[in-house]
Amino acid sequence: MNRFFLSTLALIALSAGLSSCLENGLSVGTTGEAAKPPADQPTAGTSVVRVNATDQGYNFIRPWEKMGPVTRKGLGAVLPNNQVLVTAELVADNTYIELEKADSGEKTPAKVIGVDYEVNLALVAPNDPESTFLDDMKPLELDLSVEAGDELEVWQLEDNGTPASTTGTVIKVSIGRYFVDGSYFLNYLLRGSLQYRAGSFTLPVVKDGNLVGLLLSYSSKELTSDIISAPIIKHFLNDLADGEYAGFPNLGISYAPMLDEQLRKYMKLNGHEGGIYVRRVAKDGSAKAAGMEVGDVLLEVNGHPIDSRGNYDHPKYGKLNFSHLVRGEPEVGQQIPIKILRDGEVMEMELALLRKNPEDYLVDPYMFDRGPRFLIMGGIIFQELTLPYLKAWGDSWATRAPFKLVHAHAHQDVYEDEGREKLVILSAVILSPSTVGYDKLNNVIVTNVNDQPINSIRDLKTAFDSPIDGIHKIEFDDFPKVIYVDAKAAEASNERFQSLGISQLERLD
């Protein structure tokens, strides 16, 4: 399928030629134009502004560097309180943002006041809190009424500021993949051909003049669009309203369907319909805190029975994955009841919903607006393993990146059980007098330095302050197991690297 959304790697790399989800191959078929709205109803011309962003991401292979700046343009939906809603992709790693009126070209600097990359939403506003820039615009109200069969409009603007809209029909409401890996939330699947207009990165989607979503991705092959849904937008905006953003809860399990009759009999499910098998319970997740264990069968969440495929019956949308009961409707801190089957006995639990921030994972699942943590010692480059680092091997990173690191990413619980906060790796070696013979060494996990266990990059910094008899002893969990580096020679090499243009030798936070 030809999907036109930016992958996590594309945002990290910010490579030359990066373009929006609508700049690559949108259908140029006939556009269905919406009927002309009443004069007092919001339109693309009165309720949408251009949002221009300059973004500059970090280089995860040469962690002391940034990539080249990239300019992105999108359309933001004007909301009450002098705020504009856009996708998080548009403003990721931003160095400058401005709002621009389509008709006059008037501009004003803006800032991000809230962002959540998991749901791909961001709220921006003029830098000046007293700005009157948006005073003549008509704010959009959020409409939660969308269901299958509804006709929606995707709003765009021509280069000259003329409003344009394309109609489409909602063919399904389901749980779909959003922006970052592992993020699945409620979305609308819209059928209809979109024309490319003015390179817009973010496009508002409306129904009867009210906001119902933002364009997430578009397939020119299938003529379908994935839309970030209004209930998710509402959750995001409500959470931001008090200035303390908590995000969307995580359950913290992986599961398997229970369709096999022999498995159901083995798990003593006789007499019970539905249920899913809990394969893994993540550390520090909501499920772990509630007392769930591997081998449990999840039967019910917040009063909704879960079928053997992991779905429940939503009163409006029909069959939905049960994750919406955890990640879509409730908020962080809320408690919801669940029922599980353990050893043939039904148990009821209270699930206190928690959110695990990306930086709290052993391997960061995404990194925006912050650079990789690293340290260079005598030409040896150390950094904490992150998913963006693995994705530097391209779309097929799972088979092309170093196997040991891919395996570590897939089995983080093993290292967490050892007490690791992060996995520190030796990523590469720059040839220098202190690293002769080690220049081919790369992508190995560090276990100890100078006989001190390394559970984060900060541990590494502390360990290098205490060489053993003037020598740094660096140990790994794989070949070559241990290497030795002269401490004074390493310090001299560090000074040389700084004179050669590597101005930053560490980033510990």
Side-chain angles (χ1 to χ4, degrees):
M1 180 181 293
N2 187 11
R3 291 280 179 181
F4 294 96
F5 56 83
L6 243 61
S7 67
T8 306
L9 176 60
L11 277 175
I12 295 162
L14 293 178
S15 57
L18 185 65
S19 56
S20 76
C21 63
L22 292 179
E23 289 182 318
N24 292 290
L26 282 183
S27 169
V28 292
T30 303
T31 302
E33 299 296 341
K36 188 175 181 180
D40 60 344
Q41 182 170 299
T43 66
T46 62
S47 303
V48 169
V49 294
R50 298 192 196 277
V51 182
N52 306 318
T54 301
D55 305 329
Q56 190 171 18
Y58 291 86
N59 188 328
F60 283 80
I61 299 300
R62 299 165 64 89
W64 59 91
E65 292 183 351
K66 274 193 163 188
M67 306 295 287
V70 173
T71 299
R72 301 193 183 108
K73 298 181 179 181
L75 298 182
V78 177
L79 301 182
N81 301 318
N82 221 28
Q83 298 172 341
V84 177
L85 184 71
V86 295
T87 58
E89 293 173 272
L90 177 63
V91 298
D93 297 313
N94 75 86
T95 57
Y96 178 74
I97 303 172
E98 67 181 11
L99 305 179
E100 176 186 349
K101 291 184 177 178
D103 53 355
S104 66
E106 181 185 356
K107 299 177 182 178
T108 189
K111 61 184 177 182
V112 175
I113 58 177
V115 63
D116 189 328
Y117 291 103
E118 292 181 6
V119 291
N120 199 12
L121 291 171
L123 203 58
V124 301
N127 281 348
D128 180 2
E130 304 300 324
S131 172
T132 60
F133 183 80
L134 299 174
D135 284 0
D136 60 345
M137 307 295 287
K138 295 180 180 179
L140 290 166
E141 298 295 331
L142 197 61
D143 183 348
L144 304 177
S145 69
V146 173
E147 57 187 33
D150 286 353
E151 283 200 349
L152 309 180
E153 295 178 61
V154 181
W155 278 357
Q156 298 190 65
L157 292 172
E158 304 283 6
D159 286 323
N160 62 7
T162 302
S165 65
T166 304
T167 59
T169 302
V170 178
I171 59 176
K172 183 170 66 172
V173 180
S174 63
I175 305 301
R177 183 181 183 275
Y178 269 42
F179 174 39
V180 298
D181 286 354
S183 292
Y184 292 85
F185 295 93
L186 189 74
N187 73 353
Y188 308 142
L189 185 63
L190 190 70
R191 183 177 297 282
S193 173
L194 291 182
Q195 287 187 348
Y196 163 76
R197 283 186 169 103
S200 294
F201 195 91
T202 294
L203 296 179
V205 183
V206 299
K207 174 186 174 184
D208 299 328
N210 294 318
L211 182 69
V212 295
L214 295 178
L215 184 71
L216 179 64
S217 65
Y218 175 74
S219 169
S220 60
K221 181 179 179 181
E222 298 185 2
L223 302 183
T224 57
S225 303
D226 288 308
I227 309 299
I228 301 172
S229 65
I232 299 302
I233 294 174
K234 180 183 178 182
H235 191 301
F236 171 74
L237 294 176
N238 286 349
D239 198 344
L240 271 176
D242 62 359
E244 297 291 333
Y245 188 73
F248 288 71
N250 307 101
L251 179 56
I253 68 168
S254 62
Y255 70 91
M258 297 197 67
L259 301 172
D260 184 79
E261 288 301 323
Q262 293 302 316
L263 174 61
R264 298 182 67 82
K265 181 181 291 187
Y266 176 78
M267 297 303 299
K268 303 177 183 178
L269 268 164
N270 298 331
H272 294 281
E273 295 183 4
I276 52 175
Y277 179 79
V278 178
R279 299 176 57 185
R280 179 177 175 270
V281 180
K283 180 184 177 183
D284 301 328
S286 305
K288 184 74 171 180
M292 289 184 69
E293 300 176 359
V294 173
D296 288 344
V297 178
L298 183 60
L299 298 174
E300 189 175 294
V301 176
N302 204 15
H304 296 273
I306 308 303
D307 70 20
S308 55
R309 289 183 170 85
N311 299 318
Y312 77 103
D313 289 315
H314 189 281
K316 183 177 180 180
Y317 306 129
K319 290 286 186 182
L320 283 184
N321 185 271
F322 82 96
S323 62
H324 186 63
L325 295 169
V326 177
R327 305 213 71 191
E329 297 178 352
E331 299 178 351
V332 171
Q334 186 174 336
Q335 288 195 338
I336 59 174
I338 62 172
K339 286 184 181 180
I340 65 167
L341 186 76
R342 181 181 295 169
D343 297 326
E345 298 293 329
V346 175
M347 300 175 60
E348 296 186 5
M349 296 178 172
E350 284 293 318
L351 191 69
L353 295 176
L354 310 173
R355 179 178 185 264
K356 194 169 183 178
N357 295 316
E359 59 270 23
D360 295 333
Y361 286 84
L362 182 86
V363 179
D364 290 45
Y366 58 91
M367 295 185 71
F368 302 112
D369 310 318
R370 59 191 176 102
R373 298 185 184 96
F374 75 97
L375 184 149
I376 299 175
M377 175 57 69
I380 303 176
I381 304 171
F382 301 92
Q383 59 179 302
E384 291 178 351
L385 180 63
T386 65
L387 183 56
Y389 178 79
L390 293 174
K391 289 194 170 187
W393 273 265
D395 292 340
S396 302
W397 63 269
T399 55
R400 294 181 59 195
F403 173 78
K404 183 75 174 181
L405 302 187
V406 173
H407 184 270
H409 170 261
H411 298 86
Q412 299 181 40
D413 53 325
V414 174
Y415 296 92
E416 288 176 335
D417 291 343
E418 295 176 357
R420 306 278 191 108
E421 297 175 29
K422 297 289 181 181
L423 275 186
V424 176
I425 63 171
L426 184 161
S427 60
V429 176
I430 304 171
L431 184 60
S432 71
S434 60
T435 61
V436 173
Y438 300 147
D439 53 297
K440 302 298 183 183
L441 188 59
N442 59 66
N443 296 310
V444 286
I445 297 172
V446 180
T447 57
N448 297 277
V449 169
N450 297 330
D451 293 335
Q452 298 182 40
I454 303 302
N455 297 318
S456 71
I457 202 74
R458 288 180 291 275
D459 289 345
L460 188 68
K461 173 69 172 178
T462 301
F464 277 131
D465 289 337
S466 304
I468 301 172
D469 297 328
I471 300 294
H472 292 308
K473 177 185 177 184
I474 306 169
E475 298 176 73
F476 312 99
D477 70 345
D478 205 347
F479 179 86
K481 290 296 186 180
V482 62
I483 63 173
Y484 298 91
V485 176
D486 184 272
K488 288 187 176 180
E491 289 294 337
S493 294
N494 282 354
E495 294 178 6
R496 177 172 173 269
F497 292 142
Q498 288 183 301
S499 67
L500 293 176
I502 303 180
S503 58
Q504 187 175 7
L505 296 178
E506 62 182 46
R507 183 187 297 114
L508 305 181
D509 296 309

